[in-house]
Amino acid sequence: MRARERRVIEAVAACLGAEPDPRVLASTIGTAAGATGCALVVAGERYQWGDGGPWLEQVVTYGGEPQGVLAVTPEAVGPLPAVAAVLGLPLAVIRLTTETDRLRREGDAAARELVDDRWRAAAEMEQERRGLERDLHDGAQHHLVALRMRLALVEHTGRGVDDLLKRLDTAERVLVDTAGGVLPVALVNGGLAAALKAELASHADVTLDIGGLRRRYPSVVETAVYFVCMEAVNNAHKHARGARITVSARDSYRGLEFEVTDDGPGFVVTPSSGLRNLTTRAADVGGTAEVVSAPGQGTTVRGVVPL
C-alpha cells in the first residue's frame, strides 16, 4: 500500500461516524490525497469537494455490489484502490440512507395525495348531494305543493279526482327524473321559455310573461334560472295562498333577466328567511338574484345572468 493511500485511509477512518457524511468524506479524501478535487457519487447524488479535471473514477463495491463511485482530480493523483475498498461499507450506509429518505418522501407524498383525493371525492359527492337536494326542493316540491292545494279543493268540492291523479303522476315523474339527474324534457329540448310554459301554464293563479325571451342560453344558465323561478313560485304557493303570481323572463342588453312577483301579504326579509338557495343558484352561474318584500306589499324575486 502506498504511503498516500495509507494517509488517506487513516484520515477517512478518523472522520467516520455512525452516519457518514459524503461531503466530509470527499473533502477528507481530497485533502489527504493532495488532490484539487474529489467527488463521491452515491445513489444518483454527486457530493463534490474542490474542482478541476479531468477526473479519474473508480467504482466502489461492497459485498460484491457497486455502492458508488470515487472520483479524484487531477489524474496525476493516480488510482486509489485501497481507499475504494475501505469506502465500500460507508458508501453502502450512505446509499441505504439516501434511498430510505427518498422512499419515505415518496411515501409521504403518496399519502398526502391519497388524502387529497379522498377530500376531493368527498367534496364532489357533497356537491352532488347538495345539487340533488336543491333540484328536489326547487322542482319536485313545486308539484307537491300544488298537489296539496288540489287535494284541499277536492276535499272541499268532491270534484277533480282525475286531475288530482294526473298531477300525482306528474309529481312522481319529476321526483324520479330529478333523482336520476334528468332535467325536464321541455327544458332540454325547448329551453327556459318552453319549460316555464310546460310547468306553469296550467296554474290559474300564475301569469306567464315570456314573450321577450327569444334566444337560448347555456344549459347550466337556463337550468339555474328555471329552478330559481320554480322555487319562487313554490314559496308563493306556500306562504301567499290565493295570491296572483306573475313569472317573467326576457332577453336584455344585460343578459337573461327574470322576475317572479306575487301580491300576497309579503314579509320582512332577513338573512334567516331561508332564501339563500335562490341567490346561491344564481351565483353559481355568475348571476345575481334578490328578494324584495315588505308586509302588505307582496314579494318580488328578480335577477339577471349576464351574457
Side-chain angles (χ1 to χ4, degrees):
M1 181 186 299
R2 292 175 295 177
R4 183 176 66 244
E5 287 188 293
R6 184 179 299 107
R7 185 170 64 251
V8 173
I9 292 173
E10 290 173 353
V12 168
C15 74
L16 286 178
E19 296 184 5
D21 187 328
R23 292 181 178 81
V24 174
L25 280 176
S27 173
T28 300
I29 294 170
T31 301
T36 59
C38 180
L40 292 171
V41 182
V42 186
E45 298 287 338
R46 184 180 181 89
Y47 307 94
Q48 182 172 321
W49 167 84
D51 53 17
W55 296 87
L56 179 65
E57 297 183 348
Q58 186 161 347
V59 176
V60 178
T61 63
Y62 182 75
E65 297 291 334
Q67 304 298 327
V69 175
L70 167 65
V72 293
T73 188
E75 291 181 304
V77 174
L80 301 172
V83 177
V86 171
L87 287 175
L89 179 58
L91 261 61
V93 173
I94 294 171
R95 180 182 64 80
L96 290 174
T97 301
T98 302
E99 292 180 349
T100 300
D101 289 342
R102 177 179 57 80
L103 291 173
R104 182 169 57 249
R105 289 194 301 271
E106 291 176 353
D108 290 343
R112 287 194 298 271
E113 183 177 356
L114 178 60
V115 171
D116 289 343
D117 288 343
R118 286 177 175 174
W119 276 106
R120 190 177 301 111
E124 290 174 354
M125 289 175 62
E126 177 64 12
Q127 185 177 7
E128 289 293 331
R129 185 192 68 79
R130 289 185 178 274
L132 179 58
E133 179 183 22
R134 289 194 307 181
D135 290 348
L136 286 169
H137 179 273
D138 300 348
Q141 186 171 333
H142 160 72
H143 292 277
L144 296 177
V145 171
L147 272 173
R148 179 185 294 274
M149 296 173 61
R150 182 61 60 175
L151 181 59
L153 181 62
V154 170
E155 183 180 18
H156 179 70
T157 64
R159 297 190 302 272
V161 175
D162 292 339
D163 181 65
L164 179 63
L165 293 175
K166 181 180 179 180
R167 289 177 180 271
L168 183 60
D169 290 339
T170 301
E172 181 181 10
R173 173 181 54 78
V174 171
L175 279 171
V176 172
D177 289 349
T178 302
V182 180
L183 295 174
V185 175
L187 180 61
V188 175
N189 295 335
L192 179 60
L196 292 175
K197 185 176 180 180
E199 292 297 329
L200 299 174
S202 61
H203 290 262
D205 59 344
V206 177
T207 299
L208 283 175
D209 180 11
I210 53 177
L213 184 58
R214 292 180 290 272
R215 59 165 292 182
R216 292 294 304 268
Y217 293 85
S219 176
V220 291
V221 172
E222 293 186 333
T223 300
V225 173
Y226 170 79
F227 280 118
V228 169
C229 291
M230 287 299 99
E231 181 174 1
V233 171
N234 180 53
N235 288 339
H237 279 154
K238 286 195 299 183
H239 305 298
R241 293 186 178 182
R244 290 171 298 179
I245 305 168
T246 300
V247 178
S248 63
R250 59 187 174 276
D251 308 317
S252 78
Y253 72 94
R254 295 198 300 166
L256 173 55
E257 296 187 5
F258 58 92
E259 187 173 280
V260 179
T261 64
D262 69 68
D263 59 0
F267 63 100
V268 177
V269 180
T270 65
S272 61
S273 297
L275 301 172
R276 183 181 177 186
N277 211 31
L278 294 169
T279 56
T280 300
R281 262 198 190 277
D284 285 346
V285 292
T288 58
E290 64 173 345
V291 181
V292 180
S293 185
Q297 299 182 24
T299 302
T300 298
V301 176
R302 67 168 65 97
V304 60
V305 179
L307 291 174

